[in-house]
């Protein structure tokens, strides 16, 4: 019996080692000639875009002076685009560009970005290295709100097309570019409308590329090289309102629990009972994609996800960002109740923001919350915003994924490309009916510190990195469109 166990163990070890040995590194891509870019002029155009304070709000969706300034910026900064592409204003804040390909029988490609930004908290203004809407350049970085999210992408897409036009390129496949003006406030009037318009015109893109994931380094154990994560799926989201009600009265003769107490107990139950973990399929794909490009010991792990999944999950559970990719998360983000110190509140309310993992839906997670709270005195209702179901996974074998991977490797030759699950929501979710192949990526190089700059203080992008973003889109359009 002992011998049999030893033999089995030996066999298992052999399988683990052999799998690691046969894991192949990713193909190298030869860098083609990049379009000539006047760095200073290109950077200046990004700076000009940052200076336009296109802060979106969920209440104001109509015409506005800043979004008009943005429209003028786009028009004046890219004269060749203006000449060669069809441009449409869609609603007051959105733009659609169509670069007609020479072969109308080919499905077009669709590039997305958003022109709006989140506001800067007044209390954090002083903490910025330079004012957030100045677009100052310091130590090789361009500072400003939108530098990463998402003006770098929007302006770089325009820049890349301008440069390709300059060198006489014309795509075989049409290239569509859609810029939304309200991504930061749900995207209903931007991407929602743009996607509906394209759908009504029967546009079926070969693939869609939006923001969402980036090039990270030093964040995945055992992976030292830059890791270009291409978002192939996206979590959904839902806001639930928990409302506790009671008759009220004078605080001198209170019941055992006030509505605030009832609500607090419910929130406590919710936080103590997280959603069950689900297999993160994109993370498993990632592991096998990187296996051939990491040193031997991490390779043993990544080449054998079938065996080490519990260990990999354990690693992922260590940090909130990676933990969020394993389950639906709940965050109680708002709470209200009570009007005066001696009045029993008749109502107390809390808002729970849920981010839904693929495999679950808005209905199933709402049901789960009701079950966990399990209190007839609390109403669990969906808030006014409809939320969205998770966006299912797109293939990593598609022409779109492969073209994106090639373009990244041309621009960042030592990058390893791998798929991932995007935990935030992007505009691309509105386009799911148009194409099965939706990817979320821009070659922004992010350190853990940079991630907090997005929507935070000192948002910035390196000048060299920005030029790489332009090159990436140029190579992608030449390759996938040509
Ligand atoms: Zn964004």
């Amino acid at each position: 019996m002992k011998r049999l166990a030893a033999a089995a163990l030996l066999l298992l070890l052999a399988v683990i080692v052999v799998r690691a040995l046969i894991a192949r590194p990713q193909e190298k891509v030869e860098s083609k000639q990049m379009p000539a870019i006047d760095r200073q002029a290109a950077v200046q155009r990004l700076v000009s875009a940052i200076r336009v304070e296109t802060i979106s709000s969920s209440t104001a969706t109509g015409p506005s002076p800043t979004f008009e300034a943005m429209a003028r910026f786009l028009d004046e900064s890219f004269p060749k685009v203006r000449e060669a592409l069809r441009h449409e204003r869609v609603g007051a804040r959105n733009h659609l560009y169509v670069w007609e390909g020479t072969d109308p029988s080919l499905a077009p490609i669709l590039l997305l970005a958003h022109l709006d930004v989140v506001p800067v908290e007044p209390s954090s203004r002083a903490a910025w290295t330079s004012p957030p809407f100045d677009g100052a350049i310091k130590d090789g970085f361009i500072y400003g709100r939108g530098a990463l999210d998402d003006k770098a992408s929007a302006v770089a897409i325009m820049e890349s097309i301008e440069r390709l036009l300059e060198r006489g390129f014309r795509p075989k496949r049409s290239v569509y570019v859609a810029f939304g003006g309200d991504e930061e406030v749900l995207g209903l009037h931007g991407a929602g409308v743009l996607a509906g318009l394209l759908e009504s015109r029967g546009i079926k893109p070969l693939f869609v590329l939006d923001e969402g994931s980036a090039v990270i380094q030093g964040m995945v154990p055992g992976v030292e090289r830059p890791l270009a994560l291409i978002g192939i799926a996206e979590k959904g989201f839902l806001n639930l309102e928990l409302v506790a009600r009671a008759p009220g009265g004078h605080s001198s003769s209170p019941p055992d629990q006030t509505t605030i107490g009832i609500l607090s107990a419910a929130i406590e139950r919710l936080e103590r009972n997280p959603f069950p973990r689900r297999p993160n399929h994109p993370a498993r794909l990632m592991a096998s994609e990187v296996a051939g490009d990491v040193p031997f010991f991490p390779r043993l792990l990544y080449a054998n996800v079938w065996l080490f999944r519990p260990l990999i999950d354990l690693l992922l559970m260590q940090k909130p960002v990676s933990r969020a990719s394993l389950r639906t998360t709940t965050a109680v983000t708002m709470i209200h109740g009570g009007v005066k110190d001696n009045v029993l509140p008749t109502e107390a309310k809390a808002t729970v923001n849920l981010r839904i993992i693929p495999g679950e839906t808005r209905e199933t997670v709402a049901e789960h919350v009701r079950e966990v709270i399990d209190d007839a005195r609390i109403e669990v209702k969906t808030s006014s915003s409809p939320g969205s179901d998770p966006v299912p996974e797109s293939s990593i074998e598609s022409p779109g994924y492969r073209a994106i991977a090639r373009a990244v490797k041309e621009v960042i030759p030592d990058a390893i490309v791998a798929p991932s699950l995007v935990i935030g929501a992007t505009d691309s979710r509105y386009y799911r009916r148009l194409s099965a192949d939706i990817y979320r990526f821009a070659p922004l190089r992010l350190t853990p510190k940079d991630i907090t700059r997005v929507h935070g203080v000192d948002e910035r992008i390196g000048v060299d990195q920005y030029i790489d973003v332009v090159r990436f889109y140029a190579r992608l359009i030449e390759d996938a469109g040509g």
Side-chain angles (χ1 to χ4, degrees):
M1 197 58 208
K2 245 191 197 165
R3 243 197 229 167
L4 198 65
L9 190 67
L10 215 60
L11 183 67
L12 184 68
L13 271 173
V15 169
I16 293 169
V17 172
V18 167
R19 284 185 63 95
L21 288 174
I22 59 172
R24 285 170 154 271
Q26 296 186 352
E27 262 178 67
K28 295 252 180 308
V29 176
E30 238 185 272
S31 281
K32 309 275 184 322
Q33 205 209 334
M34 296 284 173
I37 299 169
D38 177 343
R39 291 166 60 98
Q40 228 183 340
V43 164
Q44 205 45 52
R45 280 184 280 270
L46 176 60
V47 166
S48 303
I50 289 171
R51 289 186 179 154
V52 188
E53 296 189 31
T54 46
I55 298 166
S56 51
S57 101
S58 49
T59 47
T61 55
S64 92
T66 41
F67 281 88
E68 286 311 309
M70 179 48 82
R72 269 198 308 282
F73 160 78
L74 291 170
D75 232 32
E76 287 162 7
S77 310
F78 305 103
K80 292 199 158 43
V81 170
R82 194 178 57 213
E83 225 169 83
L85 274 66
R86 212 166 60 234
H87 173 220
E88 260 175 84
R89 298 279 302 264
V90 181
R93 299 175 177 209
N94 316 303
H95 298 261
L96 177 66
Y97 294 88
V98 183
W99 194 1
E100 215 65 69
T102 51
D103 185 348
S105 70
L106 297 174
I109 63 174
L110 172 58
L111 306 177
L112 307 179
H114 62 90
L115 298 169
D116 63 318
V117 293
V118 293
V120 174
E121 275 181 291
S123 60
S124 74
R125 252 173 202 271
W128 281 70
T129 299
S130 70
F133 291 100
D134 276 11
I137 302 169
K138 270 195 185 133
D139 308 323
F141 288 93
I142 308 158
Y143 283 83
R145 178 59 84 230
L148 291 168
D149 182 12
D150 185 30
K151 284 180 176 167
S153 284
V155 183
I157 290 171
M158 296 296 278
E159 191 74 44
S160 68
I161 296 176
E162 185 81 7
R163 300 285 77 85
L164 289 172
L165 284 164
E166 202 169 61
R167 89 178 192 186
F169 176 78
R170 169 115 195 251
K172 280 203 197 81
R173 204 182 278 289
S174 295
V175 177
Y176 279 65
V177 176
F179 292 151
D182 67 343
E183 192 275 343
E184 301 292 359
V185 288
L186 288 180
L188 272 174
H189 304 275
V193 174
L194 285 160
L197 181 71
L198 292 180
E199 193 182 11
S200 74
R201 291 180 184 169
I203 307 298
K204 293 198 163 60
L206 178 70
F207 68 90
V208 177
L209 177 63
D210 194 6
E211 63 168 347
S213 200
V215 183
I216 60 171
Q217 201 158 6
M219 286 190 245
V220 175
V223 186
E224 300 301 325
R225 282 162 52 190
L227 180 58
L229 291 176
I230 299 175
I232 59 167
E234 175 173 315
K235 285 181 97 174
F237 71 95
L238 178 69
N239 285 322
L240 288 176
E241 240 169 48
L242 315 182
V243 188
R245 291 194 185 89
H250 198 285
S251 65
S252 57
S253 53
D256 289 341
Q257 261 184 320
T258 68
T259 49
I260 293 175
I262 294 167
L263 187 65
S264 309
I267 291 170
E268 211 260 327
R269 277 198 297 284
L270 200 59
E271 292 189 339
R272 227 173 347 105
N273 294 283
F275 276 78
R277 251 191 270 163
R278 278 183 171 267
N280 175 341
H281 188 250
R284 277 199 228 174
L285 284 177
M286 180 194 85
S288 29
E289 287 293 302
V290 302
D293 284 280
V294 296
F296 188 70
F297 283 105
R299 187 184 304 184
L300 287 174
L301 184 75
Y302 291 128
N304 292 286
V305 180
W306 60 280
L307 180 66
F308 294 123
R309 190 171 70 82
L311 189 64
I312 291 174
D313 279 5
L314 203 70
L315 285 174
L316 290 173
M317 286 300 283
Q318 302 309 309
K319 295 207 175 101
V321 175
S322 48
R323 199 186 305 147
S325 68
L326 289 175
R327 62 162 55 123
T328 294
T329 55
T330 55
V332 181
T333 49
M334 292 197 281
I335 189 157
H336 297 285
V339 288
K340 196 171 180 300
D341 60 343
N342 60 358
V343 176
L344 294 173
T346 56
E347 197 176 88
K349 259 194 235 180
T351 302
V352 190
N353 181 255
L354 296 114
R355 300 298 175 132
I356 310 163
I357 197 106
E360 287 165 1
T361 64
R362 282 170 287 178
E363 284 75 35
T364 61
V365 300
E367 201 38 52
H368 176 94
V369 168
R370 284 192 188 97
E371 273 165 27
V372 168
I373 289 178
D374 188 28
D375 188 333
R377 297 167 297 175
I378 294 182
E379 187 192 355
V380 178
K381 56 180 191 180
T382 42
S383 78
S384 52
S385 78
S388 77
D389 284 330
V391 184
E393 206 171 294
S394 298
S395 168
I396 64 166
E397 306 291 343
S398 70
Y401 182 89
R402 282 193 239 125
I404 294 164
R406 276 196 300 273
V408 181
K409 288 182 184 173
E410 277 192 54
V411 174
I412 308 172
D414 62 336
I416 308 171
V417 178
S420 74
L421 168 70
V422 172
I423 58 173
T426 69
D427 268 347
S428 69
R429 69 185 185 278
Y430 291 101
Y431 295 84
R432 62 205 284 181
R433 285 206 304 272
L434 278 69
S435 178
D437 291 326
I438 298 185
Y439 302 102
R440 304 146 192 90
F441 174 77
L444 307 166
R445 305 191 66 157
L446 300 184
T447 63
K449 178 96 188 29
D450 292 324
I451 289 173
T452 63
R453 296 177 194 272
V454 176
H455 291 207
V457 170
D458 268 352
E459 185 175 349
R460 67 177 195 186
I461 185 170
V463 168
D464 293 339
Q465 292 166 24
Y466 175 64
I467 299 300
D468 279 348
V469 181
V470 179
R471 289 188 174 132
F472 164 78
Y473 286 115
R475 286 302 301 138
L476 178 67
I477 293 169
E478 269 188 313
D479 184 9

